[in-house]
Amino acid sequence: MSAPEPAKPARVVTSSMIGMNMPDMARWSERVVVVLGQNPGPFTGPGTNTYIVGTGKRRLLLDSGQGIEGYDDLLVRALAELCDGAELDRIVLTHAHPDHIGGVERVRARHGDLPLGKMPLPASDRGFEVRAIADGDIVETEGATLEAIWTPGHARDHLCFVLREEKVLFTGDMVLGAGTTVIPPDGDLGDYLDSLARLQALDIERIFPAHGPIIEDPHRKIAEYLAHRALRDEQILAGLAAGVTRTENLVLRIYTDIPEFLHRAAGVSVESHLRRFHKLGRVHRDGDHWRLT
Ligand SMILES: [Zn+2]
Protein backbone atom coordinates (compact mmCIF):
# COMPACT_ATOMS: atom_id res chain seq x y z
CA MET A 1 0.00 0.00 0.00
CA SER A 2 1.44 3.37 -0.97
CA ALA A 3 1.89 6.13 1.55
CA PRO A 4 -1.22 8.26 1.95
CA GLU A 5 -1.33 11.93 1.20
CA PRO A 6 -2.05 13.94 4.31
CA ALA A 7 -5.74 14.72 4.57
CA LYS A 8 -6.82 18.33 4.36
CA PRO A 9 -8.80 19.39 7.41
CA ALA A 10 -11.58 20.76 5.19
CA ARG A 11 -12.63 17.28 4.11
CA VAL A 12 -12.43 15.67 7.50
CA VAL A 13 -15.18 13.41 8.75
CA THR A 14 -18.32 14.99 7.46
CA SER A 15 -20.30 11.77 7.42
CA SER A 16 -22.20 10.39 10.36
CA MET A 17 -23.42 6.93 11.27
CA ILE A 18 -26.87 8.12 12.26
CA GLY A 19 -29.43 6.41 10.08
CA MET A 20 -26.86 4.18 8.41
CA ASN A 21 -28.14 0.71 7.57
CA MET A 22 -26.16 -2.50 7.24
CA PRO A 23 -27.30 -6.09 6.70
CA ASP A 24 -27.71 -8.17 9.88
CA MET A 25 -25.09 -10.62 8.68
CA ALA A 26 -22.66 -10.76 5.77
CA ARG A 27 -19.46 -12.38 4.59
CA TRP A 28 -16.79 -9.68 4.31
CA SER A 29 -13.86 -11.87 3.30
CA GLU A 30 -12.72 -15.47 2.97
CA ARG A 31 -12.06 -15.62 6.71
CA VAL A 32 -14.52 -13.14 8.18
CA VAL A 33 -18.30 -13.02 8.64
CA VAL A 34 -19.89 -9.98 10.31
CA VAL A 35 -22.98 -10.22 12.52
CA LEU A 36 -24.61 -7.01 13.78
CA GLY A 37 -25.15 -6.69 17.51
CA GLN A 38 -28.75 -5.44 17.10
CA ASN A 39 -27.97 -2.33 19.15
CA PRO A 40 -28.32 0.60 16.72
CA GLY A 41 -28.22 4.09 18.18
CA PRO A 42 -26.73 7.56 17.90
CA PHE A 43 -23.41 6.39 19.34
CA THR A 44 -23.28 2.86 17.95
CA GLY A 45 -24.46 3.64 14.41
CA PRO A 46 -25.97 0.50 12.89
CA GLY A 47 -24.88 -1.34 16.07
CA THR A 48 -21.72 -3.16 17.12
CA ASN A 49 -20.11 -5.37 14.49
CA THR A 50 -19.21 -8.79 15.84
CA TYR A 51 -16.97 -10.99 13.73
CA ILE A 52 -16.77 -14.74 13.22
CA VAL A 53 -13.15 -15.37 12.22
CA GLY A 54 -11.57 -18.49 10.71
CA THR A 55 -12.18 -21.16 8.10
CA GLY A 56 -12.46 -24.35 10.11
CA LYS A 57 -15.10 -26.24 12.05
CA ARG A 58 -14.34 -24.17 15.13
CA ARG A 59 -14.03 -20.41 14.86
CA LEU A 60 -13.44 -17.41 17.02
CA LEU A 61 -15.93 -14.66 17.84
CA LEU A 62 -14.44 -11.15 18.01
CA ASP A 63 -16.63 -8.95 20.24
CA SER A 64 -20.00 -10.06 21.52
CA GLY A 65 -22.31 -7.06 21.11
CA GLN A 66 -24.36 -5.58 23.92
CA GLY A 67 -26.45 -8.57 25.00
CA ILE A 68 -29.52 -7.69 22.92
CA GLU A 69 -32.18 -10.35 22.50
CA GLY A 70 -32.18 -11.64 18.94
CA TYR A 71 -28.45 -11.25 18.40
CA ASP A 72 -27.82 -14.77 19.67
CA ASP A 73 -30.32 -16.22 17.19
CA LEU A 74 -28.65 -14.29 14.41
CA LEU A 75 -25.24 -15.60 15.44
CA VAL A 76 -26.52 -19.19 15.28
CA ARG A 77 -27.95 -18.52 11.82
CA ALA A 78 -24.72 -16.92 10.60
CA LEU A 79 -22.72 -19.96 11.75
CA ALA A 80 -25.13 -22.30 9.95
CA GLU A 81 -25.67 -20.32 6.77
CA LEU A 82 -22.41 -18.44 6.21
CA CYS A 83 -19.84 -20.60 8.07
CA ASP A 84 -20.58 -24.17 6.93
CA GLY A 85 -22.15 -25.03 10.26
CA ALA A 86 -18.98 -24.19 12.20
CA GLU A 87 -19.03 -23.84 15.98
CA LEU A 88 -17.46 -21.20 18.19
CA ASP A 89 -14.50 -22.16 20.34
CA ARG A 90 -13.76 -18.85 22.06
CA ILE A 91 -14.65 -15.20 22.41
CA VAL A 92 -12.09 -12.42 22.03
CA LEU A 93 -12.85 -8.79 22.89
CA THR A 94 -11.34 -5.55 21.61
CA HIS A 95 -12.24 -3.94 24.95
CA ALA A 96 -14.74 -4.13 27.78
CA HIS A 97 -17.16 -1.33 26.92
CA PRO A 98 -20.76 -2.54 27.34
CA ASP A 99 -21.52 -2.82 23.62
CA HIS A 100 -18.58 -5.21 23.21
CA ILE A 101 -18.60 -7.34 26.38
CA GLY A 102 -22.37 -7.22 26.98
CA GLY A 103 -23.20 -10.27 24.86
CA VAL A 104 -20.79 -12.71 26.51
CA GLU A 105 -23.38 -14.37 28.74
CA ARG A 106 -25.96 -14.79 25.99
CA VAL A 107 -23.36 -16.24 23.62
CA ARG A 108 -22.16 -18.64 26.30
CA ALA A 109 -25.72 -19.70 27.04
CA ARG A 110 -26.02 -20.90 23.43
CA HIS A 111 -22.49 -22.10 22.71
CA GLY A 112 -21.16 -23.38 26.04
CA ASP A 113 -18.68 -21.87 28.46
CA LEU A 114 -16.35 -20.42 25.84
CA PRO A 115 -13.03 -18.99 27.02
CA LEU A 116 -12.83 -15.21 26.96
CA GLY A 117 -9.67 -13.52 25.71
CA LYS A 118 -8.85 -9.81 26.12
CA MET A 119 -6.42 -7.45 27.75
CA PRO A 120 -7.43 -7.72 31.41
CA LEU A 121 -8.96 -4.65 33.09
CA PRO A 122 -10.55 -6.01 36.27
CA ALA A 123 -12.64 -2.89 36.95
CA SER A 124 -14.40 -3.34 33.59
CA ASP A 125 -14.34 -7.11 33.07
CA ARG A 126 -17.61 -7.80 34.94
CA GLY A 127 -16.06 -10.55 37.02
CA PHE A 128 -15.38 -12.72 33.98
CA GLU A 129 -12.32 -14.89 34.11
CA VAL A 130 -10.15 -13.53 31.33
CA ARG A 131 -7.39 -15.21 29.33
CA ALA A 132 -4.93 -12.38 29.04
CA ILE A 133 -3.96 -11.12 25.60
CA ALA A 134 -1.01 -8.72 25.60
CA ASP A 135 0.47 -6.44 22.97
CA GLY A 136 2.08 -8.53 20.23
CA ASP A 137 0.38 -11.78 21.20
CA ILE A 138 -0.76 -14.04 18.39
CA VAL A 139 -4.26 -15.48 18.56
CA GLU A 140 -4.65 -18.35 16.15
CA THR A 141 -7.69 -20.17 14.92
CA GLU A 142 -7.90 -22.48 11.91
CA GLY A 143 -7.18 -20.44 8.78
CA ALA A 144 -6.59 -17.15 10.59
CA THR A 145 -3.74 -15.55 12.52
CA LEU A 146 -4.56 -12.47 14.60
CA GLU A 147 -1.83 -10.23 16.01
CA ALA A 148 -2.88 -8.13 18.98
CA ILE A 149 -1.92 -4.44 18.96
CA TRP A 150 -2.40 -2.62 22.26
CA THR A 151 -4.07 0.70 21.44
CA PRO A 152 -4.97 2.56 24.64
CA GLY A 153 -6.78 5.89 24.49
CA HIS A 154 -10.46 5.19 23.80
CA ALA A 155 -10.16 2.61 26.56
CA ARG A 156 -7.11 1.43 28.53
CA ASP A 157 -7.72 -2.22 27.66
CA HIS A 158 -8.23 -1.61 23.94
CA LEU A 159 -6.71 -4.07 21.48
CA CYS A 160 -6.76 -3.94 17.70
CA PHE A 161 -6.04 -7.11 15.75
CA VAL A 162 -4.27 -7.62 12.43
CA LEU A 163 -5.61 -10.56 10.43
CA ARG A 164 -2.28 -11.38 8.82
CA GLU A 165 -3.55 -13.58 5.98
CA GLU A 166 -5.71 -10.75 4.62
CA LYS A 167 -3.94 -7.59 5.84
CA VAL A 168 -7.18 -6.65 7.53
CA LEU A 169 -7.10 -4.57 10.71
CA PHE A 170 -9.91 -4.97 13.23
CA THR A 171 -9.93 -1.53 14.84
CA GLY A 172 -12.61 -1.93 17.51
CA ASP A 173 -13.60 1.60 18.52
CA MET A 174 -10.26 3.18 17.54
CA VAL A 175 -11.40 3.90 13.97
CA LEU A 176 -15.04 3.71 12.90
CA GLY A 177 -16.74 3.18 9.55
CA ALA A 178 -18.14 6.72 9.69
CA GLY A 179 -17.86 9.69 12.02
CA THR A 180 -15.30 9.82 14.81
CA THR A 181 -14.83 7.95 18.05
CA VAL A 182 -15.43 9.57 21.44
CA ILE A 183 -12.68 9.57 24.06
CA PRO A 184 -14.65 9.02 27.27
CA PRO A 185 -13.69 10.66 30.60
CA ASP A 186 -11.62 7.62 31.60
CA GLY A 187 -9.89 7.59 28.21
CA ASP A 188 -6.82 9.58 27.20
CA LEU A 189 -6.57 11.57 23.99
CA GLY A 190 -2.76 11.66 24.07
CA ASP A 191 -2.63 7.86 24.26
CA TYR A 192 -5.28 7.68 21.55
CA LEU A 193 -3.21 9.83 19.16
CA ASP A 194 -0.13 7.68 19.87
CA SER A 195 -2.21 4.57 19.16
CA LEU A 196 -3.47 6.03 15.87
CA ALA A 197 0.11 6.74 14.84
CA ARG A 198 0.96 3.14 15.62
CA LEU A 199 -1.89 1.87 13.44
CA GLN A 200 -0.81 4.23 10.67
CA ALA A 201 2.53 2.39 10.46
CA LEU A 202 0.97 -1.06 9.94
CA ASP A 203 1.05 -2.90 6.63
CA ILE A 204 -2.72 -3.22 6.16
CA GLU A 205 -5.12 -2.96 3.26
CA ARG A 206 -8.56 -2.76 4.83
CA ILE A 207 -10.14 -1.91 8.16
CA PHE A 208 -13.04 -3.85 9.65
CA PRO A 209 -14.28 -1.47 12.38
CA ALA A 210 -16.50 -2.25 15.37
CA HIS A 211 -19.13 0.15 14.01
CA GLY A 212 -20.03 0.85 10.41
CA PRO A 213 -18.88 -0.53 7.07
CA ILE A 214 -15.50 -1.69 5.71
CA ILE A 215 -12.86 1.03 5.28
CA GLU A 216 -11.05 0.40 2.00
CA ASP A 217 -8.30 3.00 2.38
CA PRO A 218 -7.03 2.60 5.94
CA HIS A 219 -4.04 4.93 5.80
CA ARG A 220 -6.07 7.77 4.37
CA LYS A 221 -8.77 7.23 7.01
CA ILE A 222 -6.24 7.24 9.85
CA ALA A 223 -4.66 10.40 8.41
CA GLU A 224 -8.14 11.96 8.40
CA TYR A 225 -8.61 11.01 12.04
CA LEU A 226 -5.27 12.60 12.99
CA ALA A 227 -6.08 15.73 10.96
CA HIS A 228 -9.53 15.93 12.54
CA ARG A 229 -8.02 15.93 16.03
CA ALA A 230 -5.45 18.55 15.02
CA LEU A 231 -8.29 20.73 13.67
CA ARG A 232 -10.22 20.37 16.94
CA ASP A 233 -7.08 21.33 18.85
CA GLU A 234 -6.81 24.51 16.80
CA GLN A 235 -10.51 25.33 17.18
CA ILE A 236 -10.41 24.85 20.94
CA LEU A 237 -7.25 26.94 21.35
CA ALA A 238 -8.84 29.67 19.19
CA GLY A 239 -11.96 29.57 21.36
CA LEU A 240 -9.93 29.83 24.54
CA ALA A 241 -7.90 32.68 23.04
CA ALA A 242 -11.19 34.45 22.27
CA GLY A 243 -12.15 34.22 25.94
CA VAL A 244 -14.56 31.26 25.78
CA THR A 245 -13.90 29.32 28.98
CA ARG A 246 -16.71 26.81 29.49
CA THR A 247 -16.94 23.47 27.72
CA GLU A 248 -20.56 23.97 26.62
CA ASN A 249 -19.74 27.34 25.10
CA LEU A 250 -16.76 25.88 23.26
CA VAL A 251 -19.16 23.23 21.90
CA LEU A 252 -21.57 25.91 20.68
CA ARG A 253 -18.73 27.76 19.01
CA ILE A 254 -17.12 24.75 17.31
CA TYR A 255 -19.94 22.31 16.58
CA THR A 256 -22.27 24.45 14.51
CA ASP A 257 -23.60 21.60 12.39
CA ILE A 258 -24.70 18.85 14.78
CA PRO A 259 -28.11 18.27 16.39
CA GLU A 260 -28.50 19.43 19.97
CA PHE A 261 -28.82 15.92 21.40
CA LEU A 262 -25.19 15.35 20.42
CA HIS A 263 -23.91 18.39 22.30
CA ARG A 264 -23.19 16.37 25.42
CA ALA A 265 -21.09 13.90 23.46
CA ALA A 266 -19.35 16.84 21.80
CA GLY A 267 -18.66 18.21 25.28
CA VAL A 268 -17.03 14.93 26.30
CA SER A 269 -14.87 15.18 23.19
CA VAL A 270 -13.90 18.81 23.82
CA GLU A 271 -12.96 17.93 27.40
CA SER A 272 -10.73 15.10 26.19
CA HIS A 273 -8.78 17.75 24.26
CA LEU A 274 -8.76 20.13 27.24
CA ARG A 275 -7.46 17.38 29.55
CA ARG A 276 -4.66 16.69 27.11
CA PHE A 277 -3.79 20.40 26.96
CA HIS A 278 -3.87 20.43 30.75
CA LYS A 279 -1.38 17.56 30.90
CA LEU A 280 0.82 19.43 28.45
CA GLY A 281 0.65 22.57 30.60
CA ARG A 282 -1.08 24.60 27.90
CA VAL A 283 -4.29 25.32 29.85
CA HIS A 284 -5.31 25.52 33.47
CA ARG A 285 -8.65 24.79 35.01
CA ASP A 286 -10.62 26.85 37.49
CA GLY A 287 -13.85 25.04 38.34
CA ASP A 288 -15.89 24.95 35.11
CA HIS A 289 -13.58 27.41 33.40
CA TRP A 290 -10.63 26.59 31.21
CA ARG A 291 -8.03 29.21 30.35
CA LEU A 292 -4.82 29.32 28.38
CA THR A 293 -1.71 29.36 30.55
ZN1 LIG B 1 -15.80 1.51 23.18
Side-chain angles (χ1 to χ4, degrees), residues 95 97 99-100 154-155 158 173 211:
H95 63 303
H97 281 165
D99 58 323
H100 298 259
H154 170 79
H158 197 288
D173 284 355
H211 304 272

Side-chain angles (χ1 to χ4, degrees), residues 83-236:
C83 304
D84 296 326
E87 292 177 14
L88 297 177
D89 68 354
R90 92 194 86 161
I91 303 170
V92 172
L93 301 181
T94 56
H95 63 303
H97 281 165
D99 58 323
H100 298 259
I101 198 173
V104 167
E105 273 158 345
R106 273 182 179 276
V107 171
R108 281 180 167 170
R110 296 290 281 267
H111 300 272
D113 194 20
L114 304 174
L116 179 65
K118 72 181 290 294
M119 176 166 285
L121 186 61
S124 303
D125 290 344
R126 301 193 173 188
F128 290 127
E129 189 184 320
V130 164
R131 287 195 187 174
I133 302 176
D135 184 43
D137 280 357
I138 300 296
V139 179
E140 273 180 301
T141 188
E142 190 180 331
T145 312
L146 295 172
E147 180 187 352
I149 317 274
W150 184 40
T151 44
H154 170 79
R156 253 188 305 151
D157 58 338
H158 197 288
L159 294 170
C160 293
F161 292 92
V162 177
L163 173 55
R164 284 185 171 167
E165 289 84 353
E166 299 185 352
K167 295 193 177 185
V168 159
L169 178 65
F170 293 101
T171 51
D173 284 355
M174 276 291 298
V175 178
L176 307 181
T180 52
T181 197
V182 168
I183 308 302
D186 64 346
D188 185 295
L189 180 62
D191 289 346
Y192 176 75
L193 294 173
D194 291 346
S195 292
L196 276 180
R198 208 173 157 205
L199 297 184
Q200 187 65 305
L202 295 173
D203 179 19
I204 50 169
E205 292 175 356
R206 293 200 290 174
I207 285 174
F208 290 1
H211 304 272
I214 298 173
I215 296 160
E216 298 286 356
D217 192 343
H219 297 96
R220 174 173 291 276
K221 174 65 92 175
I222 295 166
E224 281 180 12
Y225 266 46
L226 288 164
H228 170 75
R229 294 295 175 170
L231 175 66
R232 284 282 181 263
D233 273 354
E234 283 173 31
Q235 291 171 323
I236 290 166

Side-chain angles (χ1 to χ4, degrees), residues 38-60:
Q38 307 304 301
N39 55 325
F43 303 111
T44 57
T48 306
N49 297 336
T50 75
Y51 295 104
I52 303 167
V53 182
T55 58
K57 280 281 144 206
R58 297 174 70 76
R59 305 187 190 188
L60 164 166

